[in-house]
Amino acid sequence: MDKTLCGQPELPADQFLYERRGPWPQPSPSYPLANAPEILNVPPVETMIWTQAIGSRYFQTEIGFPGAAAANAVVGGQLEIPSDAEFVRMMTNSVFARSLRPVAGSNTWISNFHAMELMEGDTVPGTFVRRVSCVFERNAGQFSCTRIDVANPTGRPLEVSPSDPAWNLAKAYALQGASYVGMFVVHPALHFPMDTVNAITKTAVPRNHPLFQLLHPHSAYALAVNNAVLETEDGVLSSNPQGTWFDPLTATGLVIKRLFGAGYAGLPNPPGLYPQYDYMNPWMDGSLPYGHCLRLYFDAFLGFCETVEKEILGACPNDIYVERWANYISAQLHGFPDGKAIFQPGVLTRALAVYMWDVTVSHAADHYSYTHDVTPAKPPTPPVVGTTLAAWKFLRLRVPPPQHLSDGAAVKLVGDVCPPDDLYRAEMTQELFLKPATIYPNLVQTTYAFTSLPLLQAQEKFHADLRLVAAKVAAVMPNFMPLEVSDTMKDYSRTISASVQY
Ligand SMILES: [Fe+2]
């Protein structure tokens, strides 16, 4: 690293991207204590680039996709409620695996969608939500679902088994719970806390610093994307879902944001189920294929960031910009190391790796899996246009949850619980906001403005390591998001992105 940075704690403002007047986190206007800090003043140039690269795609989709969305909604309504095999596949071998927790000392695993109760009583008229949990047994690596517990407001949960008439309806509620907890408890914790790191890096670290050079390529689009999600009425957090024509959700934006709080501040009850966000310890359970793949990628980031840490701290062991960066961020973000802890061995490496891995692999893989795994493995009728059918996400349910084991016996098809307009909205939202739409350069094509030979060599090694990991991942989980295009997958928009851009 350029040693002149080390001796210059007060570089002139023009050595910073936004002359030290850049974006900075503020408390969330909606839920200041429960939700992650937000960047409310996005630099105009970042908004312009977002409009050009991403916003324009939304407008084109709103004009060009409604006919296909409607046709897909008709096909989706005719789908059967997922079979038990398809249900277990989606719940355990997709992004939904993030909710699976083992019960100590047994082969039982539970996916608990307790946070659904945060929306109860505040849903779009005629739609229903309910707190549910799914109980799985794992034998020789294979999962089976033995029971779905559906909460009962007046007593003990209804324990629904596969042979009960209420089973299909219970599965629909379980998939709804998985969708909402996945999209609005787990996924926001990948998006929004990282804006604090993004903004503070851009504002407080000089452009010639390796820390800036490392993180900047992974920080494009995200501030504007997240601001658009959180603060505009044109997305899926609208105060008038029906008025948008494409919002498929079962509650208003302000109600949905309660779930964000479960993923950031956590929920006190039941203890341990929704812990407070912890920056340095993201989920990557290596005993599940999805978590194992995330972990394989994380190790590649660790190796790269270790070299960058050596370069920075080798030149300047108490680097003032690193110290300030950590102090500024740790004041805002649960679990981020402060200006003392950041200099403990390996801490800077991990803090950098978590950011880079989160905004690339961990974030993008969720979108990919939610689009490509939470859908029929082989639809009886393929989508008319678009990538996959959205019907099995069960974003709205128009039949109340079962209160008795005999309830819902007539529920056979998706259309029995969800009318065409709700499904049309789900197809629109999937095309607009859920499917991955990666912009060039993707992760493995990202280059860094390093001006040191060891760091340029580290970049080459990182790209090679990513390709090695991709080969291992393909063996563990062939359906995991691809790193790059291949002979069998030529769609660049499905490759792992370099930043949060959807
Ligand atoms: Fe996202």
Side-chain angles (χ1 to χ4, degrees):
M1 161 173 145
D2 182 354
K3 286 197 187 232
T4 57
L5 284 177
C6 191
Q8 291 196 40
E10 298 304 346
L11 282 173
D14 63 5
Q15 296 305 297
F16 295 79
L17 180 63
Y18 295 118
E19 301 195 334
R20 285 213 193 97
R21 298 156 200 265
W24 206 256
Q26 289 180 243
S28 149
S30 306
Y31 297 106
L33 294 178
N35 286 8
E38 251 180 81
I39 312 306
L40 294 165
N41 295 297
V42 178
V45 64
E46 296 195 25
T47 303
M48 278 170 56
I49 291 168
W50 175 86
T51 305
Q52 193 179 49
I54 298 168
S56 58
R57 176 173 64 81
Y58 294 162
F59 300 132
Q60 285 165 3
T61 303
E62 283 184 50
I63 292 168
F65 197 68
N72 289 348
V74 172
V75 175
Q78 296 302 311
L79 288 178
E80 292 182 358
I81 300 290
S83 68
D84 291 1
E86 287 281 76
F87 178 75
V88 169
R89 172 184 63 79
M90 291 189 281
M91 286 297 211
T92 63
N93 200 37
S94 80
V95 54
F96 288 168
R98 286 181 182 273
S99 290
L100 269 174
R101 297 285 179 275
V103 177
S106 74
N107 59 354
T108 300
W109 291 65
I110 296 180
S111 286
N112 195 321
F113 308 117
H114 190 98
M116 294 303 282
E117 74 175 11
L118 298 173
M119 294 189 289
E120 281 184 31
D122 284 321
T123 51
V124 168
T127 69
F128 303 89
V129 296
R130 189 54 52 87
R131 177 157 57 85
V132 287
S133 60
C134 301
V135 181
F136 299 91
E137 299 294 321
R138 192 182 201 188
N139 294 302
Q142 298 298 311
F143 283 99
S144 58
C145 183
T146 55
R147 210 175 78 217
I148 298 171
D149 293 350
V150 182
N152 178 348
T154 58
R156 284 176 48 78
L158 187 70
E159 297 183 355
V160 187
S161 300
S163 58
D164 293 320
W167 184 240
N168 275 351
L169 189 53
K171 282 194 286 190
Y173 271 89
L175 284 163
Q176 183 189 48
S179 281
Y180 278 81
V181 168
M183 270 199 296
F184 300 121
V185 177
V186 177
H187 196 70
L190 301 173
H191 269 249
F192 305 123
M194 295 301 158
D195 278 1
T196 290
V197 182
N198 182 324
I200 288 175
T201 304
K202 284 172 179 166
T203 298
V205 184
R207 288 189 300 180
N208 286 342
H209 198 292
L211 193 160
F212 181 93
Q213 293 163 340
L214 181 72
L215 301 192
H216 189 242
H218 301 294
S219 304
Y221 309 111
L223 297 183
V225 167
N226 289 331
N227 186 252
V229 171
L230 292 166
E231 300 300 333
T232 63
E233 283 288 318
D234 294 346
V236 286
L237 295 176
S238 170
S239 58
N240 175 16
Q242 288 305 93
T244 64
W245 297 17
F246 57 74
D247 186 336
L249 301 181
T250 195
T252 65
L254 200 58
V255 172
I256 298 281
K257 284 181 184 176
R258 295 174 190 163
L259 275 67
F260 293 12
Y264 188 70
L267 292 179
N269 290 308
L273 191 56
Y274 294 93
Q276 188 186 67
Y277 176 79
D278 181 2
Y279 178 90
M280 292 292 265
N281 292 295
W283 182 90
M284 49 180 111
D285 184 343
S287 66
L288 296 164
Y290 194 76
H292 184 50
C293 294
L294 291 176
R295 184 174 287 273
L296 286 170
Y297 271 113
F298 186 69
D299 289 342
F301 286 87
L302 273 182
F304 184 31
C305 295
E306 198 177 353
T307 308
V308 179
E309 177 185 302
K310 270 190 200 142
E311 177 85 359
I312 295 172
L313 301 185
C316 199
N318 301 307
D319 186 298
I320 188 73
Y321 294 108
V322 172
E323 183 185 346
R324 287 182 194 169
W325 177 78
N327 276 333
Y328 293 144
I329 299 171
S330 66
Q332 304 275 353
L333 214 53
H334 301 317
F336 200 92
D338 67 14
K340 274 206 174 71
I342 199 75
F343 294 114
Q344 298 295 313
V347 173
L348 177 58
T349 294
R350 190 172 177 88
L352 295 170
V354 167
Y355 178 79
M356 292 174 65
W357 165 88
D358 178 294
V359 299
T360 58
V361 177
S362 190
H363 168 265
D366 271 23
H367 280 266
Y368 182 88
S369 180
Y370 195 50
T371 304
H372 292 277
D373 293 333
V374 185
T375 193
K378 288 196 177 71
T381 311
V384 177
V385 180
T387 42
T388 61
L389 294 171
W392 280 1
K393 295 169 169 70
F394 294 102
L395 298 177
R396 281 184 187 165
L397 291 169
R398 300 271 178 182
V399 174
Q403 301 248 301
H404 309 281
L405 295 176
S406 56
D407 288 349
V411 173
K412 306 280 187 224
L413 305 177
V414 173
D416 294 335
V417 293
C418 201
D421 182 62
D422 292 344
L423 294 170
Y424 164 82
R425 290 162 172 274
E427 297 291 344
M428 284 299 291
T429 277
Q430 174 161 285
E431 186 70 13
L432 284 163
F433 307 120
L434 305 181
K435 75 167 197 182
T438 294
I439 297 167
Y440 176 89
N442 64 14
L443 170 62
V444 76
Q445 292 175 323
T446 296
T447 56
Y448 304 84
F450 292 140
T451 45
S452 106
L453 187 59
L455 291 185
L456 285 171
Q457 288 167 340
Q459 167 186 299
E460 295 307 307
K461 180 173 186 306
F462 178 53
H463 289 165
D465 287 349
L466 287 174
R467 292 194 168 100
L468 289 175
V469 169
K472 282 188 207 165
V473 161
V476 173
M477 195 173 173
N479 50 320
F480 198 83
M481 187 175 206
L483 181 69
E484 50 195 338
V485 291
S486 65
D487 290 345
T488 52
M489 205 295 293
K490 296 187 168 65
D491 184 353
Y492 192 87
S493 72
R494 296 188 201 180
T495 62
I496 297 173
S497 56
S499 66
V500 170
Q501 39 193 250
Y502 29 92

